[in-house]
């Protein structure tokens, strides 16, 4: 994961406000296009054991026993990391 870049947004809004026979009204519309949108990822890291990806061989799951023990006994730290998304978000 690299450095977090600032997100950019192109914002469009259109509105009209008026008054008719003592009645005020307004209508507004908004559209935004975000690039490098900021999001977060939650990471759980065991305090002991080995961090490895899950290895699947012949339909058998292999994972270090110490890592599973640490996670099962709440011996871990949770982190929240901020990152950018690669997709363009239109809303």
């Amino acid at each position: 994961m690299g450095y977090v870049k600032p997100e950019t947004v192109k914002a469009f809004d259109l509105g009209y406000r008026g008054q008719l026979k003592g009645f005020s009204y307004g209508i507004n519309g908004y559209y935004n296009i975000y690039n490098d949108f900021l999001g977060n990822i939650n990471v759980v890291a065991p305090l002991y054991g080995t961090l490895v990806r899950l290895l699947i061989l012949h339909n058998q799951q292999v994972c270090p026993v110490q890592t599973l023990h640490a996670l099962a006994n709440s011996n871990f730290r949770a982190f929240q990391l901020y990152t950018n998304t690669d997709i363009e978000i239109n809303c």
Side-chain angles (χ1 to χ4, degrees):
M1 217 179 301
Y3 291 106
V4 177
K5 298 181 284 187
E7 66 184 18
T8 58
V9 62
K10 291 180 186 174
F12 304 94
D13 59 77
L14 180 66
Y16 182 77
R17 192 180 280 185
Q19 187 173 11
L20 183 64
K21 296 182 182 176
F23 178 72
S24 297
Y25 61 92
I27 186 167
N28 297 300
Y30 302 94
Y31 185 74
N32 299 310
I33 301 170
Y34 289 90
N35 289 306
D36 296 323
F37 188 76
L38 291 173
N40 59 25
I41 296 174
N42 295 320
V43 178
V44 176
L47 296 178
Y48 52 88
T50 307
L51 290 174
V52 295
R53 289 180 181 245
L54 190 63
L55 178 63
I56 300 174
L57 296 173
H58 304 291
N59 294 329
Q60 294 180 353
Q61 297 179 352
V62 179
C63 189
V65 174
Q66 285 183 329
T67 301
L68 292 175
H69 186 267
L71 295 173
N73 290 301
S74 299
N75 292 324
F76 60 84
R77 274 206 179 129
F79 300 92
Q80 185 173 1
L81 304 174
Y82 292 92
T83 185
N84 298 102
T85 181
D86 293 333
I87 60 174
E88 183 178 273
I89 297 177
N90 298 307
C91 56

